[in-house]
Amino acid sequence: MAALGIVGLLCHVLFWPIITVDVVVYYIPWLDTIVARGGGLQAFAEPFANYTPPYLYLLALAAPLKGLLPDPYIIKTVSVVCNLLLVAALWHVLRALKAPAPHVALLALALPSVMMNAALLGQCDALYAAPCVMAVGAALTGRHRAMMAWAGLALSVKAQAILGAPFVLAAIIAWRVPVRDWLFAPLGFVAAFVPALLAGWPLTDMLSIYLRQADTFHDIARNAPNIWMIAQTLGATATVSGLATALAVGVCGAYIAWFGATLRQRTVEMQLRAALLAPMLAAGLLPKMHERYFFLADVLAFAWAMLAPGRDSWRIMAYVQLGSAVAAWGYLTGANLAVLAAVPMMLATWMTARPLIMPAANDNPLLPRRAV
């Protein structure tokens, strides 16, 4: 852990001075707006960003650093704080699932995709991944109201949280979660908006932010390491987006039906493996995915490898990390590396799915070996 920690720290030092377009075009102007409006909740009286408020709250908390640190460094500091929240979520879930060594959650800070996301790109995907991890942990420990609340909170942070929805829906069916408990999802969703609502930000604007973003790009894929990036490189156009969406919905529907019937009888390790498969399938088959949309898969692959360490889990985690890191590097350099990155990502998806849908003759994953 010490060696990996040193490597991770050195990577942060190397990444820190690099400033990306998103930081300059979006995040710094948002920070400037918050400071110009006096900071605090009064900054949210009117819409000023195409992100939902949870991330902007963190920018408001960091506003006093304006003038003490360069603006890009403030943005990256907030992103690293998001990574620390993710580590806390991983530690909590690994401990709840009785992992051999929950403290290895700290190693998530040294994952290439996690380091690149915050220290290099200045992004905050850890902020939605953390409640997603908590939702998965709640599902596997029988706390279904908490599962729904965490899922709603994750969706309020970023729309990418929907990539983990197939697992939540399967869990609802598998454990027959009462309809009254479903209400905790919208409660968690709206709770994140309350401070901005009280300040005056219209709810209709917050609810439509990601709907407006959906029309920004019309490519089949945007540097995403999935099959549609390969198809696009070979000449496919946006006209196949409808087919891609239908395929993704069909596969996710089959996932929900299969695991809704079998998830409850599987071991804890296999349940977490099923949770990992959900964002891999969704991000792998949906159109308009970006290079960062496999971030939840990156994190869950790490969690599964820490819960059930072995050659299989380590290989899958390595392939997922390779796919995400190469795709992100392609975005930074402008090279079409996502086509190459799609190969290990698709291989990892197949390796994750195969034991779940085609168990070996002498292995029945429906017989639980562990109980939580």
Side-chain angles (χ1 to χ4, degrees):
M1 287 186 64
L4 288 173
I6 292 172
V7 171
L9 181 61
L10 289 175
C11 287
H12 277 73
V13 172
L14 292 173
F15 291 158
W16 208 254
I18 302 173
I19 310 303
T20 60
V21 174
D22 284 351
V23 171
V24 175
V25 174
Y26 297 106
Y27 304 148
I28 291 177
W30 297 347
L31 177 64
D32 290 339
T33 299
I34 292 172
V35 172
R37 293 181 180 180
L41 284 181
Q42 62 264 30
F44 295 84
E46 295 180 1
F48 62 91
N50 63 350
Y51 266 25
T52 51
Y55 172 70
L56 304 176
Y57 298 152
L58 294 182
L59 283 187
L61 291 175
L65 296 175
K66 181 79 171 180
L68 300 177
L69 293 175
D71 289 350
Y73 291 4
I74 297 175
I75 301 301
K76 291 194 174 188
T77 299
V78 171
S79 299
V80 171
V81 169
C82 293
N83 281 357
L84 294 175
L85 294 174
L86 174 60
V87 167
L90 286 166
W91 174 81
H92 175 81
V93 169
L94 289 175
R95 187 184 65 165
L97 298 180
K98 298 180 174 61
H103 61 278
V104 296
L106 285 168
L107 296 180
L109 294 174
L111 291 174
S113 63
V114 173
M115 288 191 296
M116 293 176 72
N117 191 271
L120 182 58
L121 301 177
Q123 295 288 346
C124 60
D125 291 286
L127 191 59
Y128 87 85
C132 284
V133 169
M134 293 295 289
V136 170
L140 302 190
T141 53
R143 297 176 296 113
H144 301 126
R145 291 181 177 180
M147 175 188 73
M148 301 303 295
W150 283 117
L153 178 61
L155 190 58
S156 74
V157 177
K158 276 200 171 186
Q160 287 94 298
I162 199 69
L163 300 174
F167 174 76
V168 174
L169 294 174
I172 290 173
I173 297 172
W175 279 282
R176 299 179 176 86
V177 178
V179 174
R180 64 178 179 273
D181 291 348
W182 300 3
L183 297 177
F184 283 81
L187 286 176
F189 182 81
V190 174
F193 295 160
V194 169
L197 284 171
L198 294 177
W201 195 318
L203 179 61
T204 53
D205 183 86
M206 284 187 278
L207 294 178
S208 62
I209 283 174
Y210 290 117
L211 292 176
R212 297 195 299 269
Q213 281 191 7
D215 291 329
T216 304
F217 302 107
H218 300 283
D219 303 320
I220 308 173
R222 298 282 295 184
N223 296 299
N226 64 14
I227 190 172
W228 301 118
M229 194 67 206
I230 297 176
Q232 183 170 274
T233 303
L234 294 176
T237 64
T239 56
V240 305
S241 293
L243 174 62
T245 302
L247 176 62
V249 170
V251 171
C252 289
Y255 171 100
I256 294 168
W258 175 254
F259 290 107
T262 65
L263 187 64
R264 189 174 182 177
Q265 292 77 37
R266 294 178 183 269
T267 66
V268 173
E269 292 89 346
M270 295 297 279
Q271 289 171 2
L272 186 53
R273 187 176 190 141
L276 164 62
L277 182 61
M280 296 180 77
L281 288 176
L285 294 176
L286 280 169
K288 297 188 177 182
M289 295 291 101
H290 292 217
E291 69 284 342
R292 294 182 290 108
Y293 285 14
F294 282 88
F295 190 83
L296 181 56
D298 299 338
V299 172
L300 290 178
F302 170 79
W304 178 53
M306 297 303 102
L307 178 66
R311 180 181 297 179
D312 189 36
S313 59
W314 284 102
R315 286 175 63 193
I316 290 173
M317 183 183 71
Y319 287 148
V320 173
Q321 281 296 312
L322 180 62
S324 290
V326 171
W329 192 254
Y331 161 74
L332 287 168
T333 61
N336 187 11
L337 299 179
V339 175
L340 299 177
V343 176
M345 192 65 75
M346 289 190 295
L347 179 59
T349 303
W350 170 244
M351 291 173 63
T352 303
R354 186 174 180 180
L356 292 167
I357 59 178
M358 295 187 300
N362 60 349
D363 179 33
N364 187 352
L366 301 183
L367 297 178
R369 297 188 300 274
R370 294 183 55 191
V372 174

